[in-house]
Amino acid sequence: MRGLHIKNARLLDARGERMGELYLSDGRIGLNPAAFEQEIDAQGMVLMPALIDLHCHLRDPGLTYKEDLQSGMRAALKGGYGTLCAMANTAPVISTPALVEANHEKAQKLRLCTLIQAAAAGMELKDETPTDWAALSKATKLLSNDGQTIFSDGFMKRLLAASAEYGFLISTHCQPERRIIARDLSLLKEAGGRLHIGHISHRESLERIRAAKAEGLAFSCEVTPHHIFGFGCDYRVNPPLRERADVQALIQGIKDGVIDCLSTDHAPHSPGDKEAGMAGISNIEYALQVFLEVFYQNAIPLTVLSRMASLRPAGLLGLNKGLIEEGYDADLVLLDPDSPGTIRAGEMVSRSHNTPFDGRAVRGRILCTIVEGEVRYDARH
Ligand code: DOR
Ligand code: ZN
């Protein structure tokens, strides 16, 4: 039996923190002494559930000059992520169970991160011909036309109804943001369903979401590292980087608990594609350091970070992850949350280094990422 003992750790999750030790075996967390082959002395560092990204782009298949499953997952492990939801805007678009399963199998062989491959809601990411929602919901938990907005009210209403029937989560891309969010919330009221609003960026979107939640409507939403860290610059991402007031409003939304999740929207692009005007930022390997910096600056506890980046995404996806408790999946990240850090585009392991944040100061050092009880990234030495 293989086992890993981690001692002297500051165990921190959404429910609190305490000093302690863990025994990992068969991919699960145990709290009682058990046989082990390998030992890590955490030396008082923070051990958290590994992060779960509800929204990233791994470009596999077909756009692998930007990223592929292996390079994206290596970057993700370096950033403390154990589970990734990869969007469907690949070539071909992921629109069939066979394409979903091909990526799941490829990821399993790599033994890096756990992959949840999202499927397109519409053929070619259009809001015209639906993909086979019943069949796809057996292969994946997440449907999204991300990259493209669902403009058709009828299509969105049918998709919401199907999400209630088949149990999948819909992740939306909303541009123009305020109008589409308002439309989706009113359709949700009529049709029910499982709505997750992707990458919110504008203060008025947040107010709309706040009001809908106060009314009792059930749905979730996310923010990205760049929308709570960058503003007033013309680096191209969708939705765009906004103004200081928007960043402040989003951080208030984190403090109030109105925003559910932290997602990356990691969107690697080659230099040529960026020059040609493509939107996106490569960020998965420093996302956690941006979160640590923003949370520190605004005195938001790390338990909130863990809830938003691990527990809540796990709940939305129905995973046995996101807490450090007996029987949970042994997906963990060991980090020094206080050490100073700097984003260095030249040191990134993602295939694409497109970021406006080169040289920016952040916080924290990621020491070790463990997935399925195995150390899959180790920067301790
Ligand atoms: O900036 C973005 N890039 N936003 C998206 O929604 C899509 C993504 C991409 O695929 O490049
Ligand atoms: Zn998007």
Side-chain angles (χ1 to χ4, degrees), residues 55 57 59 66 89 146-148 173 175 199 226 236-239 265-269 278-281:
H55 188 154
H57 299 267
R59 310 301 193 199
K66 299 177 199 259
N89 59 343
D146 184 62
Q148 303 296 325
H173 176 108
Q175 280 187 296
H199 44 47
H226 40 286
R236 193 127 195 257
V237 285
N238 280 333
D265 196 12
H266 171 68
H269 286 294
M278 287 194 186
I281 175 172

PDB file of all heavy atoms in Angstrom, residues 55 57 59 66 89 146-148 173 175 199 226 236-239 265-269 278-281, ligand 1:
ATOM      1  N   HIS A  55     -13.035  27.191 -14.985  1.00  0.00           N
ATOM      2  CA  HIS A  55     -13.014  27.877 -16.279  1.00  0.00           C
ATOM      3  C   HIS A  55     -11.585  28.088 -16.767  1.00  0.00           C
ATOM      4  O   HIS A  55     -10.891  28.998 -16.303  1.00  0.00           O
ATOM      5  CB  HIS A  55     -13.715  29.235 -16.105  1.00  0.00           C
ATOM      6  CG  HIS A  55     -13.947  29.980 -17.384  1.00  0.00           C
ATOM      7  ND1 HIS A  55     -14.967  30.892 -17.516  1.00  0.00           N
ATOM      8  CD2 HIS A  55     -13.302  29.974 -18.578  1.00  0.00           C
ATOM      9  CE1 HIS A  55     -14.941  31.412 -18.744  1.00  0.00           C
ATOM     10  NE2 HIS A  55     -13.926  30.881 -19.398  1.00  0.00           N
ATOM     11  N   HIS A  57      -8.881  27.355 -20.515  1.00  0.00           N
ATOM     12  CA  HIS A  57      -8.779  26.953 -21.920  1.00  0.00           C
ATOM     13  C   HIS A  57      -7.472  26.204 -22.096  1.00  0.00           C
ATOM     14  O   HIS A  57      -6.401  26.776 -21.888  1.00  0.00           O
ATOM     15  CB  HIS A  57      -8.822  28.182 -22.827  1.00  0.00           C
ATOM     16  CG  HIS A  57     -10.099  28.955 -22.696  1.00  0.00           C
ATOM     17  ND1 HIS A  57     -11.190  28.737 -23.513  1.00  0.00           N
ATOM     18  CD2 HIS A  57     -10.479  29.924 -21.825  1.00  0.00           C
ATOM     19  CE1 HIS A  57     -12.181  29.543 -23.156  1.00  0.00           C
ATOM     20  NE2 HIS A  57     -11.769  30.282 -22.132  1.00  0.00           N
ATOM     21  N   ARG A  59      -6.877  24.287 -24.972  1.00  0.00           N
ATOM     22  CA  ARG A  59      -6.592  24.346 -26.429  1.00  0.00           C
ATOM     23  C   ARG A  59      -6.364  22.998 -27.091  1.00  0.00           C
ATOM     24  O   ARG A  59      -5.778  22.948 -28.183  1.00  0.00           O
ATOM     25  CB  ARG A  59      -5.362  25.221 -26.692  1.00  0.00           C
ATOM     26  CG  ARG A  59      -5.361  26.592 -26.030  1.00  0.00           C
ATOM     27  CD  ARG A  59      -6.537  27.432 -26.439  1.00  0.00           C
ATOM     28  NE  ARG A  59      -6.383  28.830 -26.047  1.00  0.00           N
ATOM     29  CZ  ARG A  59      -7.401  29.673 -25.966  1.00  0.00           C
ATOM     30  NH1 ARG A  59      -8.647  29.282 -26.232  1.00  0.00           N
ATOM     31  NH2 ARG A  59      -7.202  30.933 -25.625  1.00  0.00           N
ATOM     32  N   LYS A  66      -0.790  26.764 -28.893  1.00  0.00           N
ATOM     33  CA  LYS A  66      -0.996  27.705 -27.780  1.00  0.00           C
ATOM     34  C   LYS A  66      -0.792  27.005 -26.433  1.00  0.00           C
ATOM     35  O   LYS A  66      -0.278  27.583 -25.474  1.00  0.00           O
ATOM     36  CB  LYS A  66      -2.426  28.251 -27.798  1.00  0.00           C
ATOM     37  CG  LYS A  66      -2.861  29.026 -29.022  1.00  0.00           C
ATOM     38  CD  LYS A  66      -4.328  29.413 -28.853  1.00  0.00           C
ATOM     39  CE  LYS A  66      -5.029  29.783 -30.140  1.00  0.00           C
ATOM     40  NZ  LYS A  66      -5.166  31.228 -30.336  1.00  0.00           N
ATOM     41  N   ASN A  89     -13.946  25.466 -26.689  1.00  0.00           N
ATOM     42  CA  ASN A  89     -13.621  26.187 -27.943  1.00  0.00           C
ATOM     43  C   ASN A  89     -12.265  25.763 -28.514  1.00  0.00           C
ATOM     44  O   ASN A  89     -11.341  26.549 -28.658  1.00  0.00           O
ATOM     45  CB  ASN A  89     -13.707  27.707 -27.763  1.00  0.00           C
ATOM     46  CG  ASN A  89     -12.767  28.256 -26.692  1.00  0.00           C
ATOM     47  OD1 ASN A  89     -12.259  27.512 -25.860  1.00  0.00           O
ATOM     48  ND2 ASN A  89     -12.539  29.555 -26.715  1.00  0.00           N
ATOM     49  N   ASP A 146     -18.602  29.047 -24.062  1.00  0.00           N
ATOM     50  CA  ASP A 146     -17.673  30.120 -23.688  1.00  0.00           C
ATOM     51  C   ASP A 146     -16.809  30.571 -24.860  1.00  0.00           C
ATOM     52  O   ASP A 146     -16.336  29.765 -25.654  1.00  0.00           O
ATOM     53  CB  ASP A 146     -16.763  29.697 -22.535  1.00  0.00           C
ATOM     54  CG  ASP A 146     -15.883  30.857 -22.113  1.00  0.00           C
ATOM     55  OD1 ASP A 146     -16.443  31.872 -21.678  1.00  0.00           O
ATOM     56  OD2 ASP A 146     -14.655  30.776 -22.281  1.00  0.00           O
ATOM     57  N   GLY A 147     -16.613  31.875 -24.892  1.00  0.00           N
ATOM     58  CA  GLY A 147     -15.959  32.504 -26.043  1.00  0.00           C
ATOM     59  C   GLY A 147     -17.030  33.192 -26.887  1.00  0.00           C
ATOM     60  O   GLY A 147     -16.788  34.225 -27.493  1.00  0.00           O
ATOM     61  N   GLN A 148     -18.230  32.588 -26.884  1.00  0.00           N
ATOM     62  CA  GLN A 148     -19.369  33.130 -27.635  1.00  0.00           C
ATOM     63  C   GLN A 148     -20.537  33.347 -26.676  1.00  0.00           C
ATOM     64  O   GLN A 148     -20.758  32.541 -25.776  1.00  0.00           O
ATOM     65  CB  GLN A 148     -19.820  32.158 -28.724  1.00  0.00           C
ATOM     66  CG  GLN A 148     -18.738  31.776 -29.718  1.00  0.00           C
ATOM     67  CD  GLN A 148     -18.249  32.960 -30.535  1.00  0.00           C
ATOM     68  OE1 GLN A 148     -19.023  33.853 -30.876  1.00  0.00           O
ATOM     69  NE2 GLN A 148     -16.957  32.979 -30.827  1.00  0.00           N
ATOM     70  N   HIS A 173     -20.988  32.963 -21.024  1.00  0.00           N
ATOM     71  CA  HIS A 173     -20.100  34.043 -21.451  1.00  0.00           C
ATOM     72  C   HIS A 173     -21.029  35.189 -21.835  1.00  0.00           C
ATOM     73  O   HIS A 173     -21.835  35.042 -22.757  1.00  0.00           O
ATOM     74  CB  HIS A 173     -19.275  33.566 -22.647  1.00  0.00           C
ATOM     75  CG  HIS A 173     -18.394  34.617 -23.221  1.00  0.00           C
ATOM     76  ND1 HIS A 173     -17.028  34.604 -23.069  1.00  0.00           N
ATOM     77  CD2 HIS A 173     -18.685  35.731 -23.946  1.00  0.00           C
ATOM     78  CE1 HIS A 173     -16.507  35.663 -23.680  1.00  0.00           C
ATOM     79  NE2 HIS A 173     -17.499  36.357 -24.223  1.00  0.00           N
ATOM     80  N   GLN A 175     -21.572  38.888 -23.108  1.00  0.00           N
ATOM     81  CA  GLN A 175     -21.139  40.147 -23.719  1.00  0.00           C
ATOM     82  C   GLN A 175     -22.194  40.575 -24.718  1.00  0.00           C
ATOM     83  O   GLN A 175     -22.446  39.821 -25.655  1.00  0.00           O
ATOM     84  CB  GLN A 175     -19.778  39.988 -24.403  1.00  0.00           C
ATOM     85  CG  GLN A 175     -18.622  40.061 -23.402  1.00  0.00           C
ATOM     86  CD  GLN A 175     -17.264  40.087 -24.081  1.00  0.00           C
ATOM     87  OE1 GLN A 175     -16.892  39.118 -24.734  1.00  0.00           O
ATOM     88  NE2 GLN A 175     -16.550  41.179 -23.954  1.00  0.00           N
ATOM     89  N   HIS A 199     -17.025  34.692 -15.519  1.00  0.00           N
ATOM     90  CA  HIS A 199     -16.171  35.890 -15.463  1.00  0.00           C
ATOM     91  C   HIS A 199     -16.896  37.228 -15.428  1.00  0.00           C
ATOM     92  O   HIS A 199     -16.861  37.995 -16.388  1.00  0.00           O
ATOM     93  CB  HIS A 199     -15.139  35.874 -16.590  1.00  0.00           C
ATOM     94  CG  HIS A 199     -15.610  35.468 -17.967  1.00  0.00           C
ATOM     95  ND1 HIS A 199     -16.742  35.960 -18.565  1.00  0.00           N
ATOM     96  CD2 HIS A 199     -15.062  34.616 -18.862  1.00  0.00           C
ATOM     97  CE1 HIS A 199     -16.862  35.434 -19.761  1.00  0.00           C
ATOM     98  NE2 HIS A 199     -15.856  34.610 -19.962  1.00  0.00           N
ATOM     99  N   HIS A 226      -7.549  38.379 -13.124  1.00  0.00           N
ATOM    100  CA  HIS A 226      -7.243  39.642 -13.818  1.00  0.00           C
ATOM    101  C   HIS A 226      -8.300  40.705 -13.599  1.00  0.00           C
ATOM    102  O   HIS A 226      -7.979  41.883 -13.583  1.00  0.00           O
ATOM    103  CB  HIS A 226      -6.967  39.434 -15.313  1.00  0.00           C
ATOM    104  CG  HIS A 226      -7.842  38.448 -16.019  1.00  0.00           C
ATOM    105  ND1 HIS A 226      -7.721  37.088 -15.847  1.00  0.00           N
ATOM    106  CD2 HIS A 226      -8.842  38.616 -16.907  1.00  0.00           C
ATOM    107  CE1 HIS A 226      -8.613  36.473 -16.611  1.00  0.00           C
ATOM    108  NE2 HIS A 226      -9.308  37.375 -17.252  1.00  0.00           N
ATOM    109  N   ARG A 236      -5.911  43.017 -24.178  1.00  0.00           N
ATOM    110  CA  ARG A 236      -7.166  42.480 -24.693  1.00  0.00           C
ATOM    111  C   ARG A 236      -7.588  41.174 -23.999  1.00  0.00           C
ATOM    112  O   ARG A 236      -6.936  40.142 -24.144  1.00  0.00           O
ATOM    113  CB  ARG A 236      -6.984  42.287 -26.207  1.00  0.00           C
ATOM    114  CG  ARG A 236      -8.226  42.051 -26.893  1.00  0.00           C
ATOM    115  CD  ARG A 236      -8.622  42.886 -28.066  1.00  0.00           C
ATOM    116  NE  ARG A 236     -10.039  42.571 -28.202  1.00  0.00           N
ATOM    117  CZ  ARG A 236     -10.527  41.753 -29.126  1.00  0.00           C
ATOM    118  NH1 ARG A 236      -9.775  41.270 -30.075  1.00  0.00           N
ATOM    119  NH2 ARG A 236     -11.828  41.445 -29.119  1.00  0.00           N
ATOM    120  N   VAL A 237      -8.661  41.225 -23.232  1.00  0.00           N
ATOM    121  CA  VAL A 237      -9.326  40.036 -22.697  1.00  0.00           C
ATOM    122  C   VAL A 237     -10.826  40.239 -22.813  1.00  0.00           C
ATOM    123  O   VAL A 237     -11.299  41.370 -22.857  1.00  0.00           O
ATOM    124  CB  VAL A 237      -9.004  39.753 -21.194  1.00  0.00           C
ATOM    125  CG1 VAL A 237      -7.631  39.197 -20.995  1.00  0.00           C
ATOM    126  CG2 VAL A 237      -9.247  40.948 -20.324  1.00  0.00           C
ATOM    127  N   ASN A 238     -11.546  39.133 -22.848  1.00  0.00           N
ATOM    128  CA  ASN A 238     -13.005  39.181 -22.870  1.00  0.00           C
ATOM    129  C   ASN A 238     -13.548  38.533 -21.616  1.00  0.00           C
ATOM    130  O   ASN A 238     -13.222  37.388 -21.369  1.00  0.00           O
ATOM    131  CB  ASN A 238     -13.553  38.420 -24.085  1.00  0.00           C
ATOM    132  CG  ASN A 238     -13.477  39.244 -25.346  1.00  0.00           C
ATOM    133  OD1 ASN A 238     -13.493  40.467 -25.305  1.00  0.00           O
ATOM    134  ND2 ASN A 238     -13.375  38.559 -26.474  1.00  0.00           N
ATOM    135  N   PRO A 239     -14.381  39.207 -20.841  1.00  0.00           N
ATOM    136  CA  PRO A 239     -14.692  40.636 -20.922  1.00  0.00           C
ATOM    137  C   PRO A 239     -13.472  41.482 -20.600  1.00  0.00           C
ATOM    138  O   PRO A 239     -12.518  40.974 -20.011  1.00  0.00           O
ATOM    139  CB  PRO A 239     -15.796  40.814 -19.855  1.00  0.00           C
ATOM    140  CG  PRO A 239     -15.632  39.674 -18.939  1.00  0.00           C
ATOM    141  CD  PRO A 239     -15.063  38.560 -19.723  1.00  0.00           C
ATOM    142  N   ASP A 265     -10.112  31.579 -16.104  1.00  0.00           N
ATOM    143  CA  ASP A 265     -10.239  31.899 -17.527  1.00  0.00           C
ATOM    144  C   ASP A 265      -8.858  31.970 -18.192  1.00  0.00           C
ATOM    145  O   ASP A 265      -8.615  32.806 -19.071  1.00  0.00           O
ATOM    146  CB  ASP A 265     -11.042  33.177 -17.782  1.00  0.00           C
ATOM    147  CG  ASP A 265     -11.495  33.268 -19.246  1.00  0.00           C
ATOM    148  OD1 ASP A 265     -11.380  32.266 -19.968  1.00  0.00           O
ATOM    149  OD2 ASP A 265     -11.958  34.345 -19.655  1.00  0.00           O
ATOM    150  N   HIS A 266      -7.960  31.101 -17.715  1.00  0.00           N
ATOM    151  CA  HIS A 266      -6.635  30.945 -18.354  1.00  0.00           C
ATOM    152  C   HIS A 266      -6.847  30.786 -19.861  1.00  0.00           C
ATOM    153  O   HIS A 266      -7.507  29.837 -20.285  1.00  0.00           O
ATOM    154  CB  HIS A 266      -5.966  29.705 -17.757  1.00  0.00           C
ATOM    155  CG  HIS A 266      -4.702  29.268 -18.421  1.00  0.00           C
ATOM    156  ND1 HIS A 266      -3.544  30.009 -18.373  1.00  0.00           N
ATOM    157  CD2 HIS A 266      -4.403  28.147 -19.131  1.00  0.00           C
ATOM    158  CE1 HIS A 266      -2.579  29.367 -19.020  1.00  0.00           C
ATOM    159  NE2 HIS A 266      -3.075  28.231 -19.494  1.00  0.00           N
ATOM    160  N   ALA A 267      -6.320  31.722 -20.634  1.00  0.00           N
ATOM    161  CA  ALA A 267      -6.562  31.723 -22.089  1.00  0.00           C
ATOM    162  C   ALA A 267      -5.252  31.964 -22.831  1.00  0.00           C
ATOM    163  O   ALA A 267      -4.951  33.073 -23.271  1.00  0.00           O
ATOM    164  CB  ALA A 267      -7.606  32.775 -22.448  1.00  0.00           C
ATOM    165  N   PRO A 268      -4.441  30.899 -22.959  1.00  0.00           N
ATOM    166  CA  PRO A 268      -3.150  31.038 -23.620  1.00  0.00           C
ATOM    167  C   PRO A 268      -3.288  31.326 -25.118  1.00  0.00           C
ATOM    168  O   PRO A 268      -4.151  30.759 -25.788  1.00  0.00           O
ATOM    169  CB  PRO A 268      -2.485  29.663 -23.380  1.00  0.00           C
ATOM    170  CG  PRO A 268      -3.604  28.718 -23.076  1.00  0.00           C
ATOM    171  CD  PRO A 268      -4.704  29.521 -22.470  1.00  0.00           C
ATOM    172  N   HIS A 269      -2.445  32.233 -25.597  1.00  0.00           N
ATOM    173  CA  HIS A 269      -2.372  32.553 -27.033  1.00  0.00           C
ATOM    174  C   HIS A 269      -0.919  32.747 -27.421  1.00  0.00           C
ATOM    175  O   HIS A 269      -0.119  33.246 -26.616  1.00  0.00           O
ATOM    176  CB  HIS A 269      -3.111  33.863 -27.335  1.00  0.00           C
ATOM    177  CG  HIS A 269      -4.595  33.768 -27.298  1.00  0.00           C
ATOM    178  ND1 HIS A 269      -5.322  33.014 -28.198  1.00  0.00           N
ATOM    179  CD2 HIS A 269      -5.507  34.348 -26.484  1.00  0.00           C
ATOM    180  CE1 HIS A 269      -6.616  33.139 -27.927  1.00  0.00           C
ATOM    181  NE2 HIS A 269      -6.762  33.934 -26.889  1.00  0.00           N
ATOM    182  N   MET A 278      -6.302  38.638 -30.690  1.00  0.00           N
ATOM    183  CA  MET A 278      -7.086  37.679 -29.899  1.00  0.00           C
ATOM    184  C   MET A 278      -7.088  38.043 -28.425  1.00  0.00           C
ATOM    185  O   MET A 278      -6.087  38.521 -27.888  1.00  0.00           O
ATOM    186  CB  MET A 278      -6.548  36.266 -30.094  1.00  0.00           C
ATOM    187  CG  MET A 278      -6.908  35.748 -31.466  1.00  0.00           C
ATOM    188  SD  MET A 278      -6.655  33.990 -31.582  1.00  0.00           S
ATOM    189  CE  MET A 278      -7.002  33.775 -33.331  1.00  0.00           C
ATOM    190  N   ALA A 279      -8.239  37.782 -27.797  1.00  0.00           N
ATOM    191  CA  ALA A 279      -8.420  38.147 -26.390  1.00  0.00           C
ATOM    192  C   ALA A 279      -7.998  36.996 -25.497  1.00  0.00           C
ATOM    193  O   ALA A 279      -8.296  35.838 -25.804  1.00  0.00           O
ATOM    194  CB  ALA A 279      -9.881  38.493 -26.138  1.00  0.00           C
ATOM    195  N   GLY A 280      -7.315  37.300 -24.404  1.00  0.00           N
ATOM    196  CA  GLY A 280      -7.004  36.250 -23.438  1.00  0.00           C
ATOM    197  C   GLY A 280      -5.702  36.502 -22.720  1.00  0.00           C
ATOM    198  O   GLY A 280      -4.824  37.207 -23.215  1.00  0.00           O
ATOM    199  N   ILE A 281      -5.607  35.894 -21.541  1.00  0.00           N
ATOM    200  CA  ILE A 281      -4.432  36.044 -20.687  1.00  0.00           C
ATOM    201  C   ILE A 281      -4.034  34.667 -20.156  1.00  0.00           C
ATOM    202  O   ILE A 281      -4.892  33.868 -19.771  1.00  0.00           O
ATOM    203  CB  ILE A 281      -4.748  37.024 -19.523  1.00  0.00           C
ATOM    204  CG1 ILE A 281      -3.590  37.132 -18.526  1.00  0.00           C
ATOM    205  CG2 ILE A 281      -6.002  36.650 -18.768  1.00  0.00           C
ATOM    206  CD1 ILE A 281      -3.799  38.233 -17.493  1.00  0.00           C
TER     207      ILE A 281
HETATM  208  O1  DOR B   1     -10.329  36.532 -23.105  1.00  0.00           O
HETATM  209  C1  DOR B   1     -10.904  35.492 -23.388  1.00  0.00           C
HETATM  210  N1  DOR B   1     -10.296  34.500 -24.064  1.00  0.00           N
HETATM  211  N2  DOR B   1     -12.178  35.329 -23.010  1.00  0.00           N
HETATM  212  C2  DOR B   1     -12.909  34.274 -23.414  1.00  0.00           C
HETATM  213  O2  DOR B   1     -14.037  34.189 -23.041  1.00  0.00           O
HETATM  214  C3  DOR B   1     -12.355  33.281 -24.343  1.00  0.00           C
HETATM  215  C4  DOR B   1     -10.912  33.226 -24.192  1.00  0.00           C
HETATM  216  C5  DOR B   1     -10.225  32.436 -25.273  1.00  0.00           C
HETATM  217  O3  DOR B   1     -10.691  31.345 -25.618  1.00  0.00           O
HETATM  218  O4  DOR B   1      -9.186  32.885 -25.753  1.00  0.00           O
END
